[in-house]
Amino acid sequence: MNVATLIFWPVVAVTLAGAAGAAFARNLVYAALSLGASLVGMAGLYFFLQAEYVAVIQMIVYVGGILILILFGVMFSRDILGTSTEPSIGSRILGGLASLATLAAMGRIAWNIAGTESLGLRAQRIPTADWVGQISSTSASHLGDLLMGPWLAPFLVVAVLLTVVLVAALGLVRKDAQ
Amino acid sequence: MIDLVLAGPDRLAPYLLLAAALFSLGVFACVTRRNAVGYLMGIELMLNAANLNMVAYGRFRTELLAGHAQVATLFVIALAAAEAAVALALVYAIFRNIRDVDLDKIRSLNGE
Amino acid sequence: MNVNPATSALIGLFLPLAVSVLGAFTWRRLGKTLDLLSVGVALVGAVATGIGAWTLGQSGTVVSVSFPWLWFPGTGIAFELGLHLDALSAMMLFVVQALGFLVLVFSRWYLHDDRFYGRFFASFSFFVFAMSGVVVAPGLLQAFICWELVGLGSYFLIGYWHDKPEASEDPEYQAGKPWYATGLIESKLSPSSAQFKAFVVNRVGDFGFLSGLALCAWVVGTWSGFQGGDPLAWKTLFGAVADGAFAQASFLGWSGMALLTLAGLLVFLGAMGKSAQFPLHVWLPDAMQGPTTASAIIHAATMVAAGVFLTARIYPMLTPEALVAIQWVGGITAFVAATIACVQWDFKAVLAYSTISQLGYMMLGLGAGAAAGGYAAGVSHLFTHAVFKCMLFLGAAAVIHGLHGVQDLNRMGGLAKKMPLTAIATGIGTLAILGVPGFSAFWSKDMILAAANAKVAIAASSGMPVWSSMVPWILGLGTAGLTAFYMSRQWFLAFLGKPRDHHLVDHAHDPDKPSVAVLLLLALLSFQFVWTGSVNPAQAGSWFSGLLAAPVAGLNASLGHALPEGVLHHIHLSTMLSSVALVALGVAAAWLLYLNLASVRHRTAEWLRRDVPTNLVWKFLANLWFIDKAYDFLFVEGLGRRGGKAVAKTDMGGTISLDRAIDQAAGLSGWAGRFANLFQSGRSGAYAGWTSLAVFGALALVLLYSK
């Protein structure tokens, strides 16, 4: 067991615990903060997956942006302590069943994969489309090439979308909108 | 000498299991939260679980396409940011109209 | 002059789009300029596509230009957008553009003092663009995309007067409502309800279209002979069908041929939605809430024609079984709509149901199969009907405008003296739709009936059950008589006899000169010689016939062998005679009931009020076979928002006393509604929970119990 593995499991634990806090904590500020912990943990996992650029973006956008937005939302919803929005028992049962079904379905897939991996089939390399070329690096510059290459059209569309979202969000909250 | 390159377990399954757990927690949050912002947190959890799956599959199953998986993840992050902005603007607009963000009181989908 | 057909099609496509985009933002300010702009653009489009179609017809080639826009890496699949112009699509494109131009000219008069004036021209141009996109589509995917745009365009046009209240809350409607105006759901009768209804009903069809499209893409895309490219392009798709791509496929125990039938029928379900085929026809009569001139384009050359056009397009992939289903749907639609049209008192409603009925005819013709001449018949009727139905709707617009919005046939009468040119034009249109010798539908409708008849003979000789093609044929013949009855009834009631409402009729007048010119031009095009190039009504050949050659693929060869010439001739002759006799009978009945013997007409009205069996039949028809009410009850109210409460609220029980059965059905659907209502809490969280429980629960079960 090397050092990396020693760090890996605590990161997983933080991610999981944070997510659990986001889902269960009654106090919404705690929920938002533990969501933050989970997001940071996720960024750590991206490092383990050798997706450094994604990890950085995760930190900047999710932790730096979205989390702040959510905290802002929590502040201004009147029910920070979650006392007046106690979930009903029915919705708890429904939520439990739905999340168990989700866990069962996705866990089963992971289980199957764990089975094949324990047979020595780990880290399979599947030869894929030819137009990707020979580059296998996932460096930021390579991601930039991809964004400006095959992903150019979606990239532009997202740019337009973000502009539209900006305007739409402003329109929704402008003063005279009733 | 300590290997400074962080390399997780050389297996896909732990990531998938973790993503499954995150996703189901997100589902639970979405169903039970009556506060619109809590609902939003559930959605963010689910999106993150999907992102994790995508990057993990890219890393372990399609090494040549790992970059593509990561670019797709970047798009999801961008869309999640957009979604959070619009959702919070909506929450704000609803709050201004009915002075509440309790989803149980926003039931006009019921047609009543 | 030679114009590249592709260039002309691009002009016809994108100029109207440009106008609509411009108009969308500026119609309030541009208003009166926008109409001239869009009329001018439509004229350019019509001329360009006309020359393009002519050039294409001269050279007899097919122009196909497309570029890939949606790649699926690693599979070789790349979907394409572009143009596919053959005789059929070039001609159809020209008809769409030309009729669009004529209707726009007419609309300038009809809507001249409307408050949304400019917006009509913007929406209309968009609609023409979308329909042109369907027509020139090089494959199923573009057809589907533009298909949805057509739906959007119709949404704009039908809901043109979007702020008009529901009929039940409209004092004007309630004041002018006669006692026989029953059967409509007044609380859901307004432009905004109608546009919504059209959209939702079309979703049902589009669900089929999309599933069929996915099925085709999957089968062709995974077929071993697939060369890459667009699996849904006509050439690839039909080539794959002919080379047995489906024969090699199987899915969930379905054999390849069953899959092909399924794919054809699923796509046809989309056509049923757009072409208002039973049981998805309910949106079309409601769409009359839009401006009448919009109806003239929606219900003549564009939206409803899109379904028939698509069915003709996918002809090479329709199996004999699919064709039988299409023929039945067409026959039932034609008959049901014709019976309903017989009791309508609203000038436009008669035309609406006659449109549905005629569309049923087209499907009936197409379903007869190429060997029986059904393809040629259905396509010819598509074109001839587009012209005369466009004119009939424009005539209706002239009448309604002249009477200041009154649409009740019972308040008209004697209009021929006040608006003679309109009367002549619509009279010719009526003769055309009746199928009187010398007029266009005599040629095309008789081809349909002859094809249906020939199909019976083919079925008999090839061992298929005879009744399967006998029933649609008989329904078609019956419809011929009914059509004669209701169309001549409409014309007699409106234009002949004495005015029944002097105050109203006295002020009526013909439209202005350009609009009258449009009416008369379309009337001229409703004569048969325009289409067949000969005044001899028995002349079957046509300049048109190059267009009517059925696309031959492997499948069509198995549709049964063609009949010997002598038998065909005999069939044509007997069909002609019997349909002319039926038409004469229908006209005579309408003449007797509604024109000649006023006392009989009066007595008829009394029958309808008092006499029990007649009353029941009349109520059944006036309530539109209860189809609309049943939908409203089951889907809109029942499974929708109010659940069980609908049982008490519905007026179904009060309308007719077939009681027991209906009550039980009501109880059942009420129960279903209450059950469904459990899930309709309105809480978005609960929706998310039920959805994920269903999706992931099913997935978990599949995964846990599979090896």
Side-chain angles (χ1 to χ4, degrees):
Chain A
M1 189 172 276
N2 60 17
V3 181
T5 320
L6 279 180
I7 308 173
F8 178 77
W9 291 108
V11 172
V12 169
V14 167
T15 312
L16 210 51
F24 296 119
R26 186 179 296 174
N27 185 326
L28 277 177
V29 177
Y30 291 168
L33 288 177
S34 46
L35 178 69
S38 179
L39 294 176
V40 173
M42 203 89 68
L45 289 174
Y46 289 143
F47 272 111
F48 283 105
L49 286 167
Q50 289 159 15
E52 296 84 1
Y53 185 69
V54 179
V56 172
I57 293 296
Q58 167 91 3
M59 287 299 286
I60 294 173
V61 177
Y62 258 115
V63 184
I66 297 178
L67 185 65
I68 300 301
L69 268 180
I70 286 178
L71 270 171
F72 167 74
V74 170
M75 295 298 171
F76 113 112
S77 77
R78 288 184 301 179
D79 175 49
I80 294 177
L81 296 177
T83 42
S84 72
T85 53
E86 184 75 2
S88 69
I89 189 76
S91 73
R92 271 185 207 185
I93 294 173
L94 178 62
L97 286 177
S99 60
L100 277 182
T102 316
L103 192 63
M106 296 171 72
R108 171 74 187 184
I109 296 173
W111 187 257
N112 285 353
I113 284 176
T116 55
E117 280 175 337
S118 66
L119 293 174
L121 290 171
R122 60 187 64 172
Q124 252 178 17
R125 278 163 207 225
I126 299 170
T128 39
D130 46 352
W131 49 268
V132 180
Q134 297 304 312
I135 316 154
S136 64
S137 138
T138 54
S139 66
S141 69
H142 175 57
L143 293 187
D145 283 347
L146 287 178
L147 269 180
M148 288 296 135
W151 290 83
L152 184 58
F155 185 62
L156 292 177
V157 172
V158 165
V160 173
L161 178 89
L162 287 176
T163 316
V164 171
V165 161
L166 193 67
V167 176
L170 282 176
L172 276 173
V173 298
R174 79 177 193 278
K175 259 194 173 155
D176 54 346
Q178 282 309 317
Chain B
M1 191 177 137
I2 301 169
D3 187 4
L4 283 179
V5 177
L6 283 180
D10 196 14
R11 306 175 65 167
L12 177 58
Y15 295 99
L16 293 191
L17 269 176
L18 177 63
L22 292 181
F23 196 94
S24 50
L25 284 171
V27 169
F28 184 83
C30 273
V31 180
T32 53
R33 288 286 184 201
R34 284 169 61 191
N35 189 312
V37 183
Y39 193 89
L40 189 60
M41 291 191 222
I43 291 177
E44 298 298 344
L45 273 181
M46 290 195 267
L47 284 172
N48 266 290
N51 277 348
L52 187 62
N53 258 3
M54 209 143 41
V55 176
Y57 267 108
R59 163 76 180 78
F60 289 113
R61 284 299 146 100
T62 60
E63 194 121 315
L64 285 174
L65 281 175
H68 287 264
Q70 293 181 23
V71 172
T73 307
L74 292 180
F75 278 105
V76 176
I77 292 177
L79 293 183
E83 171 252 320
V86 171
L88 279 170
L90 277 176
V91 167
Y92 179 72
I94 292 170
F95 179 75
R96 224 173 22 190
N97 280 330
I98 68 169
R99 311 305 299 172
D100 209 330
V101 289
D102 185 351
L103 288 175
D104 280 11
K105 293 183 184 143
I106 309 167
R107 286 188 163 199
S108 49
L109 271 180
N110 200 13
E112 278 163 9
Chain C
M1 190 167 81
N2 263 343
V3 173
N4 184 347
T7 318
S8 71
L10 286 178
I11 292 173
L13 264 175
F14 288 107
L15 278 185
L17 178 65
V19 170
S20 65
V21 171
L22 176 74
F25 295 104
T26 58
W27 65 269
R28 275 176 211 280
R29 253 172 295 147
L30 283 183
K32 296 278 169 188
T33 348
L34 196 62
D35 66 343
L36 283 179
L37 185 65
S38 59
V39 169
V41 158
L43 179 62
V44 172
V47 170
T49 52
I51 296 174
W54 187 75
T55 315
L56 200 77
Q58 291 294 305
S59 60
T61 50
V62 174
V63 175
S64 203
V65 191
S66 53
F67 64 91
W69 65 283
L70 185 60
W71 293 269
F72 286 84
T75 59
I77 293 177
F79 291 109
E80 292 173 344
L81 291 180
L83 303 165
H84 179 86
L85 292 166
D86 54 8
L88 177 63
S89 58
M91 180 67 183
M92 189 73 204
L93 182 65
F94 169 60
V95 169
V96 169
Q97 299 273 338
L99 289 183
F101 164 68
L102 295 177
V103 173
L104 276 177
V105 169
F106 195 96
S107 302
R108 290 193 62 217
W109 168 76
Y110 180 68
L111 292 169
H112 61 84
D113 52 359
D114 193 82
R115 51 207 164 105
F116 302 131
Y117 186 71
R119 207 182 68 205
F120 179 82
F121 293 89
S123 328
F124 193 96
S125 299
F126 178 77
F127 194 63
V128 168
F129 153 73
M131 182 64 196
S132 305
V134 173
V135 170
V136 300
L140 264 184
L141 191 66
Q142 182 182 331
F144 181 75
I145 294 170
C146 292
W147 186 265
E148 294 298 326
L149 292 181
V150 167
L152 182 64
S154 75
Y155 185 83
F156 293 149
L157 285 177
I158 296 169
Y160 177 66
W161 289 304
H162 56 86
D163 51 0
K164 207 171 146 194
E166 307 289 341
S168 59
E169 284 154 26
D170 186 358
E172 207 177 319
Y173 179 89
Q174 292 297 334
K177 183 176 78 167
W179 67 268
Y180 39 76
T182 171
L184 300 169
I185 303 165
E186 287 177 7
S187 63
K188 297 190 185 71
L189 192 67
S190 71
S192 52
S193 294
Q195 65 179 164
F196 188 64
K197 186 169 176 178
F199 213 72
V200 170
V201 172
N202 270 295
R203 285 281 81 59
V204 179
D206 293 347
F207 164 72
F209 193 162
L210 196 58
S211 322
L213 190 144
L215 184 57
C216 291
W218 172 66
V219 170
V220 177
T222 57
W223 174 49
S224 56
F226 179 59
Q227 303 283 324
D230 186 349
L232 295 174
W234 304 129
K235 208 178 145 200
T236 320
L237 178 60
F238 301 150
V241 167
D243 292 346
F246 276 87
Q248 296 171 13
S250 77
F251 180 64
L252 290 178
W254 289 57
S255 76
M257 279 300 118
L259 274 183
L260 184 56
T261 306
L262 180 70
L265 285 180
L266 282 172
V267 177
F268 176 67
L269 187 62
M272 282 170 69
K274 279 278 182 293
S275 282
Q277 297 296 298
F278 176 87
L280 299 181
H281 64 280
V282 291
W283 66 267
L284 195 146
D286 281 46
M288 295 295 132
Q289 293 289 324
T292 312
T293 49
S295 308
I297 199 75
I298 295 178
H299 302 122
T302 54
M303 182 157 168
V304 298
V308 181
F309 180 82
L310 183 77
T311 313
R313 257 286 177 252
I314 62 165
Y315 219 64
M317 62 173 278
L318 293 174
T319 59
E321 291 79 15
L323 285 176
V324 168
I326 290 172
Q327 206 190 3
W328 273 77
V329 167
I332 293 171
T333 308
F335 185 76
V336 169
T339 56
I340 295 175
C342 289
V343 300
Q344 293 298 317
W345 287 93
D346 183 319
F347 197 94
K348 277 173 85 179
V350 176
L351 290 180
Y353 283 101
S354 102
T355 304
I356 301 177
S357 178
Q358 297 298 312
L359 291 164
Y361 258 133
M362 295 170 207
M363 293 300 188
L364 175 63
L366 288 175
Y375 179 85
V379 172
S380 322
H381 201 55
L382 175 63
F383 287 111
T384 57
H385 172 263
V387 170
F388 64 69
K389 186 49 68 64
C390 182
M391 191 261 283
L392 285 171
F393 267 113
L394 292 182
V399 168
I400 291 166
H401 190 277
L403 300 180
H404 301 288
V406 171
Q407 305 185 6
D408 186 356
L409 282 171
N410 222 12
R411 293 174 69 187
M412 299 177 185
L415 276 173
K417 284 200 189 92
K418 297 289 170 189
M419 32 199 338
L421 293 173
T422 312
I424 291 173
T426 49
I428 293 174
T430 307
L431 289 173
I433 195 174
L434 294 188
V436 171
F439 296 92
S440 57
F442 171 73
W443 170 64
S444 54
K445 191 156 83 178
D446 273 15
M447 272 212 283
I448 289 177
L449 291 175
N453 193 353
K455 179 74 193 299
V456 178
I458 290 176
S461 69
S462 60
M464 285 171 92
V466 173
W467 58 266
S468 71
S469 42
M470 187 74 100
V471 175
W473 175 55
I474 292 172
L475 287 175
L477 272 182
T479 308
L482 288 171
T483 309
F485 176 76
Y486 70 75
M487 284 309 293
S488 45
R489 164 183 179 269
Q490 180 196 34
W491 198 76
F492 291 158
L493 279 174
F495 291 103
L496 297 187
K498 291 201 184 86
R500 285 179 290 279
D501 189 337
H502 278 285
H503 180 68
L504 200 63
V505 172
D506 280 354
H507 298 291
H509 55 86
D510 269 330
D512 70 348
K513 285 204 184 71
S515 307
V516 167
V518 167
L519 282 178
L520 293 178
L521 174 63
L522 288 171
L524 181 68
L525 293 175
S526 305
F527 283 95
Q528 187 192 347
F529 68 83
V530 178
W531 301 91
T532 56
S534 157
V535 283
N536 175 11
Q539 174 88 20
S542 156
W543 58 269
F544 201 63
S545 56
L547 208 148
L548 302 177
V552 179
L555 269 175
N556 282 314
S558 67
L559 287 183
H561 30 271
L563 293 169
E565 192 59 35
V567 179
L568 264 184
H569 185 72
H570 176 72
I571 284 176
H572 270 280
L573 200 64
S574 64
T575 308
M576 194 185 294
L577 291 178
S578 51
S579 82
V580 167
L582 281 167
V583 166
L585 207 62
V587 175
W591 176 275
L592 282 176
L593 279 178
Y594 294 102
L595 203 59
N596 200 21
L597 305 172
S599 59
V600 173
R601 188 171 62 83
H602 188 69
R603 254 187 7 237
T604 319
E606 285 304 304
W607 277 345
L608 291 184
R609 270 196 236 251
R610 302 233 178 92
D611 188 54
V612 176
T614 335
N615 190 340
L616 276 185
V617 170
W618 181 76
K619 274 195 170 162
F620 183 64
L621 295 180
N623 278 292
L624 322 174
W625 289 48
F626 288 102
I627 297 165
D628 288 61
K629 285 196 170 163
Y631 285 176
D632 184 57
F633 186 71
L634 286 174
F635 302 126
V636 183
E637 296 292 340
L639 291 178
R641 40 198 176 148
R642 259 167 249 150
K645 286 181 226 158
V647 180
K649 282 186 85 170
T650 181
D651 54 352
M652 199 168 191
T655 315
I656 188 170
S657 42
L658 288 175
D659 276 2
R660 271 314 265 268
I662 289 181
D663 273 358
Q664 276 162 12
L668 188 67
S669 77
W671 178 85
R674 273 190 296 274
F675 178 70
N677 206 21
L678 282 180
F679 304 94
Q680 306 288 327
S681 61
R683 275 198 63 226
S684 37
Y687 290 143
W690 287 114
T691 310
S692 46
L693 184 59
V695 172
F696 287 105
L699 185 61
L701 286 180
V702 169
L703 285 172
L704 291 176
Y705 290 101
S706 62
K707 281 161 278 175

